[in-house]
Amino acid sequence: MGTHFVVTNESQVHENYKDMIIKARDIDSRVTGRSTGHPVRADVKTGSVMAGQIAGMVKEKMSCHDLIQKLVKETDDLIGGKGFYE
């Protein structure tokens, strides 16, 4: 979830960081730091840009409000349109 919020309009990270996440494919991240006991997932092709496993699924920038609304709608659709989150 955090990776998707990194790409929101309100996020203060550099646009290059956001663009790397949006361009990421499902095979573009690597887990590093296992030897130290602090594993993290990152895009290591052009440097270390922290991103979660979901990075390959993030394809657009949007506001936090719109992202939350999208998540609520998708969750509601998955649980059968019960309207629990409205």
Side-chain angles (χ1 to χ4, degrees):
M1 293 298 300
T3 299
H4 210 293
F5 280 99
V6 167
V7 180
T8 60
N9 299 332
E10 293 86 350
S11 173
Q12 296 182 11
V13 302
H14 197 279
E15 289 300 312
N16 291 348
Y17 187 174
K18 293 180 182 183
D19 291 341
M20 288 297 293
I21 291 173
I22 289 172
K23 291 176 186 174
R25 297 171 299 155
D26 61 342
I27 62 170
D28 286 337
S29 66
R30 303 288 182 267
V31 176
T32 63
R34 286 187 177 146
S35 63
T36 63
H38 300 286
V40 294
R41 187 173 293 276
D43 176 343
V44 295
K45 191 177 211 180
T46 57
S48 181
V49 178
M50 301 300 176
Q53 194 170 1
I54 192 175
M57 298 175 68
V58 178
K59 296 301 172 199
E60 61 183 327
K61 294 177 192 171
M62 60 181 68
S63 69
C64 286
H65 178 268
D66 290 343
L67 176 56
I68 292 169
Q69 291 300 316
K70 177 182 175 184
L71 294 170
V72 167
K73 181 189 180 314
E74 290 175 357
T75 301
D76 200 43
D77 290 347
L78 286 172
I79 62 173
K82 304 290 185 198
F84 292 145
Y85 299 100
E86 293 180 2

